Amino acid sequence: MDILGKLQEYREEEKRLVWEGTFAEYLEILRERPEVAQSAHSRVYNMIKSHGIEEVNGKKRYNFFSNQIFGLEDAVERLVEEYFHPSAKRLDVRKRILLLMGPVSGGKSTIVTMLKRGLEAYSKTDEGAVYAIKGCPMHEDPLHLIPQSMRDDFQKQYGIRVEGSLSPLNMMRLEQEYDGRIEDVIIERIFFSEDKRTGIGTFSPSDPKSQDIADLTGSIDFSTIAEFGSESDPRAYRFDGELNKANRGMMEFQEMLKCDEKFLWHLLSLTQEGNFKAGRFALISADELIVAHTNEAEYKSFISNKKNEALHSRIIVMPIPYNLKVSEEEKIYEKMIDDSDIADFHIAPHALRVAAIFSVLTRMKESTKQGVDFVKKMRLYDGENVEGFNHADVEELKKEFPDEGMSGIDPRYVINRISSAIIRKDVPAISPLDVLRSLKDGLDQHASISKEDREKYINFISVARKEYDDIAKKEVQKAFVYSYEESAKTLMDNYLDNVEAYCNKNKLRDPLTGDEMNPDEKLMRSIEEQIGISENAKKAFREEILIRISAYARKGKKFDYNSHERLREAIQKKLFADLKDVVKITTSTKTPDESQLKKVNEVIARLIDEHGYNSISANDLLRYVGSLLNR
């Protein structure tokens, strides 16, 4: 990539986006594109919507969040549909502070950062263009120039409602610089930038004794008092507080509930009336989304304080729990690893999965419903099919504990332990067992885990280990069975011949003697039992296979080894069971013979080429599975 050429293109694009003109010219833009005058809340919602919305199983999925936020689809849908969408329609929800509440490392800060970065990019598009009075430190909405008495007529003509009053500084400038001629006021296009403090502000509490309210609302510039003669002259005031600079966009209130009360009172007027008090001026209008984040303990402490009651009704709390889907938890770890310097280190397949299984289990609450244990619940939440349960059961389980996912092991702990395992390891690869060992060792050093929770978590590590044992055996099973592919196909053809004879009540002919014989029930059951087909269910399963064969035949397709997933799994398991002794010998013999060595090398090559292992992790896997089979 030619970086210098890209920089040149970037500068040219920045220049192309610049626009400056009079208020009269700005009105022409509004006539063609009235969406330019949208409110801050509407801008955020339309920014999210511009990335696309998909509907999956009756639930909305927002592409804007899809590459950074994993497993929180329900929380994100609620956030968008219960806050941003109604706020964009100017409903009363927009007059509330958005408070994201959840456990540490649960995604709250990531959501806020995404909104900020999203707004910055959106303000550079035609749909998200923002215009302001030139030279205004608060980048004020040009429509504030329209006198109150004319706003009804303006709305009838343009279909745009004007809210807010002209700020003291621009009121003075209108008279002194433009002689009251609103149509001549210079308007410019602005671009949101947190770094340049344009349309995006961030406020973080510090020591209440030393922090000044000026950080929020701006302050008097004492060096100009002599020049302008009065503290009430707007030119003697610095409109540089976070509320000033976040106007037209959004302000992040970090750890809002830790703030001193005097900082929070300004939010009462700003959220409800859309204005705030600064210096010796009338109320200053501001249009901005205020988003804060906190944890559950701090929120409970906040609402228990009677002094905070006025703010309670002006806050909308959106719970952001931990993810409860194993497959999505893996993506979180992958993202965190990709962002680190260990991205090139070989982490064996399923190492992140076992970590995800462990952390998800720690976040779940034990169901009171009969037949639902932690593992079944985990699989149901992850969208897996569990016999005897359907989609309605999953929704019922989610409703059982509304606060599920608000506690447990956080992703940062897992990544810290994976990092520790990598640093300790001499070879450039770590296995799932290395990860589980590191997770277990770290529990003793985790200050916030109680003794009771530690015992429970150690048990979950054992559960994750059992899950991995099954995964490891299946992985080796597939690799070995592929090496015996002809045997697998032969076994399947034999099974299908017997199923066809059984369903059609026919006899089979012995290929050697030519004698007629009954379908081999023992063979069919030995395969079907591998995937849990009961004696009562065997007839239905065999008929389903026959129907599938007929359907393929009608379409001119050949029913083969990969045509039926469950049957393929059954064949693999059956063949693996028959090959178990071979596997034991080839994985545990210190001096394998030539044929055994060839077979092992074939399996290792398949694990490397098709399953994502390297030579170290593939050999580790074979040795481990060999030890499992020898138990």
Side-chain angles (χ1 to χ4, degrees), residues 249-260:
M250 68 175 281
M251 190 188 85
E252 177 187 8
F253 220 120
Q254 294 179 348
E255 303 297 341
M256 185 184 87
L257 303 185
K258 289 179 181 173
C259 270
D260 191 67

Side-chain angles (χ1 to χ4, degrees), residues 109-372:
S109 299
T110 303
I111 289 172
V112 176
T113 302
M114 287 185 74
L115 292 173
K116 291 194 286 191
R117 297 295 87 81
L119 276 178
E120 288 175 345
Y122 191 57
S123 68
K124 293 183 178 180
T125 65
D126 291 342
E127 300 83 10
V130 189
Y131 296 83
I133 298 171
K134 188 175 182 182
C136 172
M138 285 182 63
H139 16 270
E140 189 166 6
D141 187 345
L143 295 183
H144 285 182
L145 290 160
I146 298 172
Q148 292 285 350
S149 59
M150 292 175 56
R151 290 186 177 182
D152 286 344
D153 292 336
F154 177 80
Q155 185 173 353
K156 286 173 188 172
Q157 186 176 345
Y158 285 84
I160 297 169
R161 186 188 303 171
V162 183
E163 294 179 338
S165 304
L166 196 61
S167 67
L169 180 61
N170 286 323
M171 204 175 290
M172 178 179 278
R173 289 178 63 208
L174 177 61
E175 295 304 320
Q176 293 185 359
E177 295 178 28
Y178 297 101
D179 198 25
R181 289 181 58 81
I182 292 170
E183 61 270 35
D184 293 339
V185 174
I186 299 299
I187 309 300
E188 65 176 348
R189 183 174 178 181
I190 63 167
F191 307 99
F192 288 163
S193 168
E194 185 175 20
D195 294 337
K196 295 177 182 176
R197 299 186 75 215
T198 305
I200 296 175
T202 305
F203 183 81
S204 184
S206 58
D207 181 9
K209 292 176 184 175
S210 61
Q211 192 161 29
D212 194 344
I213 199 70
D215 293 350
L216 270 186
T217 60
S219 60
I220 296 166
D221 186 352
F222 289 101
S223 66
T224 61
I225 298 292
E227 182 184 350
F228 299 119
S230 169
E231 289 184 13
S232 59
D233 189 310
R235 292 169 298 178
Y237 197 85
R238 287 194 294 256
F239 294 89
D240 61 354
E242 293 304 321
L243 294 181
N244 308 101
K245 292 300 183 181
N247 186 33
R248 313 293 301 285
M250 68 175 281
M251 190 188 85
E252 177 187 8
F253 220 120
Q254 294 179 348
E255 303 297 341
M256 185 184 87
L257 303 185
K258 289 179 181 173
C259 270
D260 191 67
E261 292 166 15
K262 66 182 179 183
F263 293 95
L264 299 179
W265 300 142
H266 278 280
L267 303 182
L268 294 174
S269 174
L270 180 59
T271 52
Q272 194 62 37
E273 308 299 335
N275 52 43
F276 64 92
K277 191 81 173 77
R280 298 179 181 178
F281 307 116
L283 291 167
I284 296 173
S285 294
D287 173 30
E288 56 198 78
L289 157 69
I290 297 176
V291 58
H293 40 90
T294 189
N295 61 49
E296 198 172 10
E298 280 176 1
Y299 178 70
K300 284 179 178 175
S301 172
F302 174 77
I303 59 172
S304 65
N305 188 342
K306 294 288 182 186
K307 289 164 71 177
N308 298 322
E309 279 183 351
L311 264 173
H312 293 178
S313 61
R314 288 173 172 84
I315 292 175
I316 282 191
V317 180
M318 286 288 165
I320 307 294
Y322 284 133
N323 157 59
L324 294 174
K325 295 179 180 177
V326 171
S327 56
E328 296 296 309
E329 188 74 9
E330 276 187 88
K331 292 176 187 174
I332 296 173
Y333 303 152
E334 285 166 6
K335 179 177 77 103
M336 295 171 89
I337 287 167
D338 287 342
D339 292 341
S340 73
D341 290 336
I342 60 169
D344 295 332
F345 191 92
H346 179 74
I347 297 173
H350 314 297
L352 298 183
R353 183 167 185 82
V354 295
I357 288 170
F358 164 69
S359 48
V360 166
L361 287 171
T362 67
R363 300 166 189 171
M364 288 182 167
K365 297 198 171 184
E366 192 170 4
S367 177
T368 57
K369 297 186 183 300
Q370 194 173 2
V372 181

Side-chain angles (χ1 to χ4, degrees), residues 1-7:
M1 183 179 73
D2 177 13
I3 191 66
L4 296 178
K6 292 284 181 185
L7 286 171

Side-chain angles (χ1 to χ4, degrees), residues 489-501:
K489 286 176 181 174
T490 303
L491 181 60
M492 182 161 164
D493 288 342
N494 198 356
Y495 173 78
L496 293 177
D497 287 343
N498 279 278
V499 163
E500 197 171 348

Side-chain angles (χ1 to χ4, degrees), residues 566-607:
R566 291 194 73 204
L567 180 56
R568 184 176 73 236
E569 184 189 349
I571 295 289
Q572 286 177 350
K573 284 185 173 178
K574 165 64 177 163
L575 196 57
F576 187 67
D578 296 343
L579 291 171
K580 200 170 276 187
D581 290 337
V582 177
V583 177
K584 278 184 190 177
I585 293 165
T586 53
T587 55
S588 59
T589 303
K590 290 181 181 177
T591 54
D593 63 32
E594 192 177 329
S595 66
Q596 289 169 349
L597 197 60
K598 184 184 175 188
K599 191 61 64 182
V600 168
N601 289 337
E602 281 177 17
V603 171
I604 288 173
R606 187 168 290 280
L607 288 170

